[in-house]
Amino acid sequence: MRKETQKLLVLSLLGLVSVSLTAQEKAKRDTIKNIDEVVVTALGIKRQDRSLGYVAETIKSEELLKTQNNNWSQALEGRVAGLKIQTAGAGPLGSSTIKLRGDISMNASENNALIVIDGVPMNNNTTGTGFSAYGAGSKADLPIDYGNGINTVNPDDIESITVLKGSTASALYGSRGAGGAIMITTKSGKSKNGKIQVSLNSYSSYDTVLKWPDYQYEYGQGTMQKDANGNYFYSYQVSADGLNTGGTSSAFGPKFAGQYFFQYDPATEGQSATRQLWQPYKDNIKGFWKTGTTFSNNISLESSNETTSFRSSLTYLKNEWMMPNTGFDRFNAAFSVDHKLSEKLKIGIKFNYNKTKSDNLPATGYSNQSISYFMIFQNPNVDLSWYAPIWKSGKDQVDQIHPFSSFIDNPYLIAYEMLNGVDKNFITGNVNLNYKITKNFEVLVRSGMELTNELRTQKRPWSSANYLQGMYREQHIRLMDLNNDILFTYKNKFNDFDFSASVGGNIRYTEYTMNDYLADGLLKPGLYTMPNGISNINKFAKPSDKQVNSTYALATLGYKNKAFLDLTARNDWSSTLPQENRSYFYPSVSTSFILSDIFKLTSDKFNYWKLRASWSTVGNDTDPYMLIKYYNNSDFSGSVESPALYPNPNLKPNMITNMEAGMDFSFLKNRINYSITAYQNNSKDQIVKIPTLWETGYSNRVINAGEVRNRGLEMTLNTYPIRNKNFSWSVNANWSLNRNKILSLPEEFHGEPYTMASVGGVVYYNAFVGGSLGDMYGYGLMYSPDGQVIFNASDGLTAKPTQMKKIGNAYPEWRAGLQNEFRYKNITVSFSFDGQYKGMAYSQSHHKMTEQGKLEHTLIGRDNPGGLIVGAGVVQNPDGSFSPNTKGVLASAYYADYYRRANVETNTFDTSFIKLRDARISYSFPKTVTEQLKITDLTLALFGRNLWMWTKFPLFDPEAATLNDNQITPGVEMGQLPTARTVGIQLNVKF
């Protein structure tokens, strides 16, 4: 920089940047990117970005608030290379997991990024209902999305988010940071001169369904049955026209052509007295859904002076979701204060309280009590209004209206009687003391707490398909997570060298309990209390406690602000590992070189060139109580049962090795900034559960085995094509790919696959040496040598394989995001696209609706002579040769077979997509207006989210995943709920 520097502004305490500007340069300062910005790294330590040997991307709060969402983390989608937000499409709370750089473990729960709030790690685990997404045909319940820890963070209170992608960046967090970390810094007081600043953020948003399947409304209920005259007919119950055809869920009945048939009469709750017009009701699925609404109001007060800063805020959000009688209320309160007790001693306190309450959240999955199940089975000739009374005449709370099948629950019964309630109280907070012992030596003491107290209820009325006499359940969940840190830091400068060293320790203690009470059957219908249960099952909590003690150290050496070296070390002692293995040590090293300064390459065209590299190992422990045999609580009060998992007293930690290298460039007065990163992760000695012989008395045992390798590439581009006094245009783009390979598996499998997970008993995530995590296996079609589908000569149906095969992979080949922002004077327009290429997802809904003739593609062949379809393919002759298939089968039989549930191949689709993820137009009123109103800022904005989508995926959303108990499994759609398209209006006021 030139000597005639006009002003040097250093606000590193607030996480801002150091910028030097000359008087001559001041007019051009809008071209300068903050390449020397201060970012929040592990343990809350603030560092200059140029000194880091790994990637740390920062997202400001403004990005999160541009388009409001029930779960703020979804605003990160498409903005950070290598980051994926995975949701289950399971309702308004939108539980999500954040993955950075793909999967590193065969254990799905070990692949999520760590969430850190103000330097304190957050327990983001989820308690499920204990049921899988596929429950059809069994007396079972379904998963319910009650939200997870990320939901409780209020976006209005977030100052910034720093994404630490690799394990080197998050190594100081130990095993919890093996998958990277999301560092959340909450807001604190910033107003000057002790003045109190009041801010108001208010918005209203409206949700509608983004995409529907292609329902067909040309044919009605039936199975291609004909009357005595050879014509297709329909009859609700036995009539003069023929046998009952109204009990099927298939839509292979007569074409809607103005005929009259005996149909259901809602007035008599039986067969109509006369024949009624055979007609479609095209709004009989979509009409059940409504426009959802969300209203949110936030008010905050903040102030600061030379010794004290404080901030407090209150937020109330009310959501009524698109499905009737579902939604939630959320209340957030936050308080922070930083006070300088003396020249040497500072204290900081942060407290956040969240209360989430709902009378009803939707169940998700493929079973009776899910609204998705009803949508699959609803027939084109059935009027939705026939279900509206819910209860049969004179049988209120006793017998529901479901006239076509006792297995299909009334949709209004699902919405208004099958209630899934939650009352959740969530508290996070920390207290930190910083004492400056000498000019160069200081100590930080920090204590953080996370406390959850949650009551969940599930109500099932009489006559529901899975609970003929009803059911009532309560889950009482309590979680306490305590983190205590001490960190000594020494900083000094020796000639051209800057040196910093930190040494500290952490004690983390987690305590979790869940009491489960179930009233199986209700003595009095409609009364949901435990004493009203016919048979009560009480599952009292078994403890699930865990403690990890840690020591760690960090040393940083900088030379002339051009070359930097970081060394870290950590040792953990985990209570979940045996005594001889519970201590494990892991180091990291990272370095960065500012090559543009070292080789004096800077000019107006070429501004910055940084080379960075890092290496680390990270240890990972396991869940509590995996070492010795513990008995489980039985369904029968006062008794216990033997566990199904055979423990392993010799477990050792899983070790993950990370290597990363990359470069950052800046051109044309920093108007163009480009970053590229390559990385590799190797995860060895994974802690996995493998099946064992039932004769042992166990179904699984836990071992150390297997190695997985991740390799990837990430690129980020930030540009200002135009920037002047009145107009600017900024473009941010990112692209990433990840390649995963399984290098070894447990010897016990002898070359056979290891099934990591399965969904619905049809899709299997099998691990083979040389394969990848996310590989999907299942049954498919059989093909002749020239690639034609093989059919059976005898019945004209597809030949059935005896072995499963790889169908595809749940993860895409690459992902990309693109953000644009235009500013003209006081008007700002921004929009964001993101998408992915390839990846596959199996759809249970597609299978069932195709089998039943509910989708438009099943219209093909119905008008053929005799309603027969000849499958395109060949049959195998006795001599082994092949000839064209000529055997015709009824259209109903053809679709039921070709797209049968077990045929994963024909029900699995490419999940490539492009989404207009969000858009916003805002107007900031000029000072001439705000000064008259005696306010400092007034902004009005219109925004939208998920406004448009291109995809060939046939169901609701290609970002399909299944909520199985408490796990979100990508690549399978199992009764997915519709995705919302959101539009809204926002008002921001400061005074």
Side-chain angles (χ1 to χ4, degrees), residues 156 190 214 248 255 385 398 499 518 619 621 769 922:
D156 288 293
K190 283 188 177 179
D214 293 325
T248 181
K255 193 170 187 176
S385 67
V398 174
F499 176 73
L518 178 70
D621 58 5
V769 173
S922 66

Side-chain angles (χ1 to χ4, degrees), residues 334-349:
F335 174 78
S336 71
V337 61
D338 291 286
H339 181 62
K340 190 175 181 181
L341 295 170
S342 68
E343 289 299 319
K344 291 189 174 184
L345 183 61
K346 298 176 184 178
I347 184 173
I349 300 173

